[in-house]
Amino acid sequence: MDAAFFDLDGTLLDTLADIGGACNRMLAAHGFPQHAIAAYATMVGNGFTRTVERALPPQVLAALSPKEREELTDEARAQYAAHLYDQTVPYPGMTEALAELAGRGMVLAVLSNKPDAWTEPIIRHFFPDIPFALIHGARIGLPLKPDPHVPLAMLAELGLEAQRCAYVGDSDVDMLTARNAGMLPVGAAWGFRGAPELRAAGARLLPERPAQLPELLCPPCAEK
């Protein structure tokens, strides 16, 4: 492999407590039922707006106008923006694995459905010494994963061939993204969704720990 692209939430970082906490504070402010933090593991992955919609009671969501939905999403967004780093942590061994991959000559990049305004600051905060070539979050006017438009554009910008690159993620959305773009789907079994979902979604590799990534993606014999 020449490059490894990474999802953010549930792959590089355990962000669930901060995302869930933000949504729960919005729900509580309007008298809606809150969720256990673990329940948010199945709500994330398709962008922040979709996470908020999944957190809202279905009957409430159905009755909201588009403007009201936007207002509630903006409330949760503001809550999250104020608490980006409260409980978020890198997965154990992730920083070391990324450093090892970079040291072996692999190009590293991040592609997330998290809003772009949060994606780069979070990555730079938690991985200040990792030389990511590109960091791309959700941007207005561009399709979210699993649409291949953005990953293909990133590959072109970096001059990389899809078949020589891996995409590492923790959800079915990520595995479909990799397949749609012609990249190697690598399932982060340590993340939010777990190995069964990743296997069913077409993961070709299923490391259980970040520490396994260097040997799987760029063994010493393949160093550049």
Side-chain angles (χ1 to χ4, degrees), residues 28-149:
H30 294 272
F32 301 142
Q34 299 175 59
H35 303 279
I37 293 299
Y40 283 95
T42 59
M43 300 184 200
V44 301
N46 297 93
F48 194 79
T49 297
R50 191 73 184 99
T51 298
V52 172
E53 290 176 350
R54 289 168 174 161
L56 288 165
Q59 69 275 19
V60 170
L61 180 64
L64 293 173
S65 69
K67 184 175 185 295
E68 290 170 328
R69 291 191 188 195
E70 183 177 353
E71 288 173 348
L72 290 176
T73 300
D74 286 346
E75 285 185 35
R77 195 186 306 274
Q79 286 286 347
Y80 185 48
H83 298 275
L84 288 176
Y85 311 117
D86 286 9
Q87 300 182 70
T88 290
V89 291
Y91 283 99
M94 180 57 71
T95 301
E96 295 81 0
L98 294 171
E100 183 67 21
L101 288 169
R104 295 185 184 188
M106 287 197 77
V107 176
L108 303 179
V110 175
L111 171 59
S112 174
N113 276 347
K114 182 185 288 292
D116 197 56
W118 298 334
T119 299
E120 183 158 1
I122 288 176
I123 291 296
R124 299 302 184 197
H125 177 85
F126 287 104
F127 304 109
D129 299 322
I130 302 301
F132 288 106
L134 287 178
I135 298 172
H136 202 300
R139 300 177 184 177
I140 295 173
L142 293 178
L144 297 176
K145 300 181 299 181
D147 189 287
H149 175 88

Side-chain angles (χ1 to χ4, degrees), residues 6-13 91 94 168-170 174 188 190-191 210:
F6 290 87
D7 173 51
L8 193 161
D9 299 300
T11 301
L12 292 172
L13 298 169
Y91 283 99
M94 180 57 71
V168 185
D170 72 300
D174 297 318
W190 61 81

Side-chain angles (χ1 to χ4, degrees), residues 158-181:
L158 294 170
L160 296 168
E161 297 180 0
Q163 65 269 25
R164 295 284 306 163
C165 301
Y167 187 80
V168 185
D170 72 300
S171 72
D172 55 348
V173 171
D174 297 318
M175 298 304 95
L176 186 55
T177 300
R179 291 162 54 197
N180 287 346

Side-chain angles (χ1 to χ4, degrees), residues 11-31:
T11 301
L12 292 172
L13 298 169
D14 184 352
T15 56
L16 205 60
D18 285 332
I19 293 173
C23 291
N24 277 346
R25 287 189 291 275
M26 178 276 291
L27 294 170
H30 294 272

